[in-house]
Amino acid sequence: MKTTIRQLPTASVPVSVVSKKKMTSKIKQGLVIGGFLAPALLVYGIFVLYSIVMTFYYSLFDWSGIDNSFEFIGLQNYIELLHDELFWASLKNNLLLVFSSLLTQLPLGLIMALLLFSPIKGMRFFRSVYFMPFLMSTVAIGILFTFMYDGNFGIVNRILGLLGLESLQRAWLGNEDTAIWAVIATICWQYAPFYMVLFRAAIVGIPEELYEAAMIDGANSRQRFFKITLPLLMPTIVTSSILSIIGSLKYFDLIYVMTGGGPNNSTELMATYMYEETFTNFNMGYGSSISFSMFLIALVITVIIVFSEQKRKGGS
Amino acid sequence: MAFIKKISNMPLYLLAIILLIFTGLPYFLMVSSSFKSQLEFMTSPWSLPKDFTLESYSVVLSSNFLRYFGNSLIVSAVSVVIVIVISAMASYPLARIKFKLNRPIFILFLIGMMIPIHTTLIPIYLLTINIGLYDTIWGLIGPYVAFAIPVSVIIFTQFLQDIPAELEESAKIDGCGQFRLFWKILFPLLKPAVATVAIYNFIHIWNEFIFALVLTNSKENATLPLGLREFYGEFSVNVPGIMAALTLGSLPLLLVYFVAQEKIVKGIAAGSVKG
């Protein structure tokens, strides 16, 4: 009995049932897709997407964050920001960080990666030590380097003394002119190994035959580097540059630990300025406008890089 | 001939050793001063320790250090597990199923890699207060997971795309549901990707600073980076003590690194190259 009842519909009205089945399978498919994506979309949606929208919303208010003052002022915060010298100074420092990162971390990372492919012995050892800075927490690095830059007993002054360069000795982080450079050098120490890893992975991927063929054609090592290695590393250089630029625009930890933006705001970055305005001075509305500006700047730069890269790819 | 070859490699060795000193010296100074007594550090701060003492380590270990260490361990482990589960799931339809919103959703996740976390700091701070998780280590997990999703989804998607489709089809013919199919058949094949995602995110979360700074307040709920800063304030005259704390704080990642070197290196490359 049971089996006949079950079989009956499919046998007698196949067309409508099939389309119905198709429908239900489509719904089923949708449910599967939704089910798999839901947890990630939920967490990402709340903490990233919703938060960005809310940051913009808060930036439209004059709001301390601690009392009930919550006054809508439109784009007033942004107008104020445009006339805020401290914001421009911090943006300038961020841009300084961008350029110095590109000019130090990437080349240094590339040199380290290339060295690891040279015939030097103990490559594993060199590689391990080169990579270690990347594994230390930024806070630990900040504290360690603060001691190294110390004016009285710091190793930097000690080394300068040994080299007979006493005239250069100073309290590196206490000096308005040198503090930013001392921090930049530290950031370079921290991140060069990261780019070494990226470049090393890319170099491993270059087919050996290319070099063999070039050697047969009589190309010397310099030609092999500029005609084979460098062009094939281009995608990695572009990616590294994007990462370096974005990283430099949102840099915070090391400055916060080492100088707190001082002396006399000489090392202030957008992120440290935003933190101070929001959580020290309790200008949550104004702090939000700084945060949202950081987002816009990062977005614009990313879009420019991605588009110019696609143009470059399309052109060649 | 061998002699000549050695000479031609000399500049390379020289460069390699200069870079070795550049990268290694700060580490070396940190570890070596942690074995000094305070007196010895005052008199000769950067020379090798003459009489090794573990005093600084016992001071650090008898303080709040283990608490900070434990907090970091819990937060990192829980966050990493959640990231793995939900990112692997999200990657399944993105890598395997054709649907209208496939590409837009993938790009939506990708954008996350470019967003400065500071842009989300204030709303997350307020949200954490409102849901009663302010100044708890649990309040950190949400943002940590959220910001680990983009890179994890990218890594999982790439791995999933390389697994042959036939595998799934034959399982489907055998009447396997899609959820079971994913967890029983595909997920076990993702082991290398899981390792990559786990290590990559563990390094970042272990060292994360600004969310911990903003979302917690009391010492009991401080993570290791906050704890190190705490030491720096408290011990400011006891430099060997600070150095011992920094050394102990760096130890876990160094250990992970020396155990799983290749995996870490691959993970970082995989996590970044497609960014």
Side-chain angles (χ1 to χ4, degrees):
Chain A
M1 264 308 264
K2 263 183 184 173
T3 42
T4 48
I5 290 169
R6 242 194 214 170
Q7 281 166 353
L8 201 67
T10 37
S12 59
V13 273
V15 183
S16 69
V17 170
V18 166
S19 70
K20 217 178 193 176
K21 235 186 179 174
K22 228 179 186 174
M23 269 269 284
T24 51
S25 87
K26 214 169 182 191
I27 290 169
K28 233 179 164 181
Q29 179 83 327
L31 280 176
V32 167
I33 293 169
F36 273 101
L37 279 167
L41 275 178
L42 188 72
V43 178
Y44 186 73
I46 291 172
F47 290 100
V48 181
L49 303 176
Y50 162 83
S51 292
I52 291 171
V53 175
M54 286 314 281
T55 295
F56 179 67
Y57 175 71
Y58 294 142
S59 75
L60 303 176
F61 289 84
D62 180 15
W63 183 34
S64 72
I66 38 175
D67 52 31
N68 289 327
S69 67
F70 197 71
E71 190 197 339
F72 182 81
I73 53 167
L75 295 175
Q76 199 62 46
N77 279 328
Y78 293 90
I79 293 166
E80 201 179 317
L81 202 62
L82 288 175
H83 296 98
D84 185 343
E85 275 175 34
L86 211 49
F87 176 72
W88 288 109
S90 65
L91 177 59
K92 212 181 101 201
N93 277 335
N94 270 109
L95 294 178
L96 186 67
L97 203 61
V98 166
F99 288 110
S100 56
S101 298
L102 287 174
L103 293 176
T104 56
Q105 295 167 18
L106 265 63
L108 206 59
L110 182 58
I111 290 171
M112 291 204 256
L114 287 170
L115 265 178
L116 297 180
F117 289 93
S118 70
I120 57 171
K121 284 196 184 100
M123 190 271 262
R124 239 184 115 83
F125 173 70
F126 281 107
R127 194 181 69 193
S128 305
V129 177
Y130 288 174
F131 186 66
M132 276 162 56
F134 187 68
L135 294 170
M136 198 190 265
S137 88
T138 311
V139 175
I141 292 171
I143 295 171
L144 181 59
F145 275 75
T146 303
F147 284 114
M148 290 172 51
Y149 285 127
D150 189 277
N152 297 315
F153 61 84
I155 186 87
V156 175
N157 281 347
R158 179 73 183 255
I159 291 171
L160 288 172
L162 288 175
L163 296 172
L165 297 168
E166 280 89 354
S167 60
L168 291 178
Q169 290 177 342
R170 67 200 67 208
W172 294 92
L173 293 174
N175 187 317
E176 271 180 50
D177 301 320
T178 55
I180 187 80
W181 297 107
V183 174
I184 285 173
T186 313
I187 298 173
C188 177
W189 181 81
Q190 180 183 19
Y191 281 101
F194 173 72
Y195 297 105
M196 172 188 82
V197 169
L198 298 192
F199 284 127
R200 184 173 165 265
I203 295 170
V204 169
I206 299 175
E208 197 65 37
E209 298 90 60
L210 286 177
Y211 291 104
E212 281 163 17
M215 267 155 91
I216 291 167
D217 290 343
N220 62 29
S221 59
R222 181 171 305 171
Q223 285 169 322
R224 292 201 297 273
F225 176 74
F226 284 105
K227 300 279 178 196
I228 300 174
T229 315
L230 207 56
L232 288 174
L233 284 182
M234 248 356 247
T236 312
I237 293 174
V238 171
T239 314
S240 303
S241 304
I242 297 177
L243 290 172
S244 177
I245 292 168
I246 299 297
S248 303
L249 286 175
K250 58 187 184 190
Y251 210 80
F252 175 81
D253 302 12
L254 202 70
I255 300 268
Y256 183 79
V257 174
M258 287 176 81
T259 66
N264 195 16
N265 299 317
S266 62
T267 57
E268 204 74 79
L269 298 179
M270 288 189 289
T272 57
Y273 187 44
M274 172 257 157
Y275 180 84
E276 273 157 38
E277 282 297 319
T278 310
F279 296 103
T280 314
N281 301 339
F282 297 106
N283 282 329
M284 217 159 254
Y286 195 57
S288 298
S289 70
I290 304 174
S291 313
F292 197 73
S293 305
M294 285 176 69
F295 169 67
L296 289 180
I297 293 168
L299 191 72
V300 167
I301 290 182
T302 310
V303 168
I304 290 172
I305 299 171
V306 170
F307 269 96
S308 59
E309 168 62 4
Q310 252 159 14
K311 222 176 178 183
R312 198 185 67 87
K313 261 188 197 158
S316 63
Chain B
M1 272 307 265
F3 178 70
I4 291 169
K5 205 168 177 228
K6 249 183 200 153
I7 285 186
S8 70
N9 279 342
M10 277 296 276
L12 288 180
Y13 274 106
L14 197 68
L15 188 62
I17 288 166
I18 291 171
L19 287 171
L20 195 72
I21 294 170
F22 174 73
T23 47
L25 187 70
Y27 257 98
F28 177 78
L29 294 172
M30 172 180 82
V31 178
S32 88
S33 22
S34 72
F35 292 118
K36 286 177 182 172
S37 68
Q38 277 199 66
L39 186 73
E40 200 192 335
F41 185 83
M42 300 282 233
T43 49
S44 51
W46 305 110
S47 58
L48 278 172
K50 279 181 204 81
D51 19 41
F52 277 84
T53 167
L54 291 173
E55 200 196 309
S56 300
Y57 285 91
S58 70
V59 170
V60 169
L61 287 175
S62 62
S63 68
N64 275 329
F65 185 86
L66 291 176
R67 172 98 206 194
Y68 304 143
F69 194 93
N71 283 343
S72 273
L73 205 60
I74 294 170
V75 169
S76 308
V78 174
S79 306
V80 166
V81 170
I82 297 175
V83 167
I84 288 170
V85 171
I86 69 175
S87 307
M89 279 175 67
S91 306
Y92 174 65
L94 293 177
R96 299 296 231 180
I97 303 174
K98 267 190 199 154
F99 60 102
K100 254 190 209 156
L101 290 173
N102 188 315
R103 196 74 198 147
I105 290 177
F106 188 71
I107 289 170
L108 195 68
F109 280 130
L110 253 179
I111 290 171
M113 295 188 71
M114 303 301 171
I115 291 168
I117 52 172
H118 309 87
T119 305
T120 64
L121 203 58
I122 295 169
I124 289 177
Y125 166 73
L126 297 169
L127 186 76
T128 309
I129 292 175
N130 285 338
I131 54 177
L133 289 178
Y134 177 72
D135 198 22
T136 65
I137 56 172
W138 311 113
L140 296 173
I141 292 171
Y144 286 177
V145 169
F147 278 94
I149 286 174
V151 76
S152 311
V153 166
I154 291 168
I155 295 173
F156 278 128
T157 312
Q158 279 168 355
F159 263 84
L160 275 168
Q161 276 164 348
D162 291 340
I163 295 174
E166 291 83 42
L167 214 77
E168 246 174 283
E169 276 153 23
S170 64
K172 258 185 210 162
I173 291 163
D174 291 346
C176 189
Q178 247 162 323
F179 280 94
R180 251 192 60 201
L181 179 144
F182 176 74
W183 289 113
K184 296 270 167 186
I185 296 172
L186 289 177
F187 193 72
L189 293 172
L190 284 178
K191 254 188 203 153
V194 169
T196 298
V197 168
I199 292 168
Y200 187 88
N201 290 317
F202 188 81
I203 293 177
H204 282 278
I205 296 172
W206 183 263
N207 288 333
E208 202 285 330
F209 180 64
I210 193 169
F211 277 126
L213 178 69
V214 169
L215 301 183
T216 67
N217 188 28
S218 57
K219 276 188 192 177
E220 300 94 79
N221 298 313
T223 57
L224 200 58
L226 290 182
L228 292 178
R229 219 176 117 255
E230 191 75 32
F231 276 115
Y232 181 48
E234 265 173 37
F235 286 35
S236 55
V237 275
N238 180 2
V239 181
I242 295 168
M243 294 300 171
L246 298 183
T247 308
L248 285 174
S250 306
L251 220 51
L253 288 190
L254 283 182
L255 286 178
V256 172
Y257 175 60
F258 285 110
V259 171
Q261 231 183 75
E262 276 312 309
K263 282 240 164 66
I264 291 183
V265 167
K266 257 189 216 148
I268 289 171
S272 313
V273 170
K274 295 286 167 180

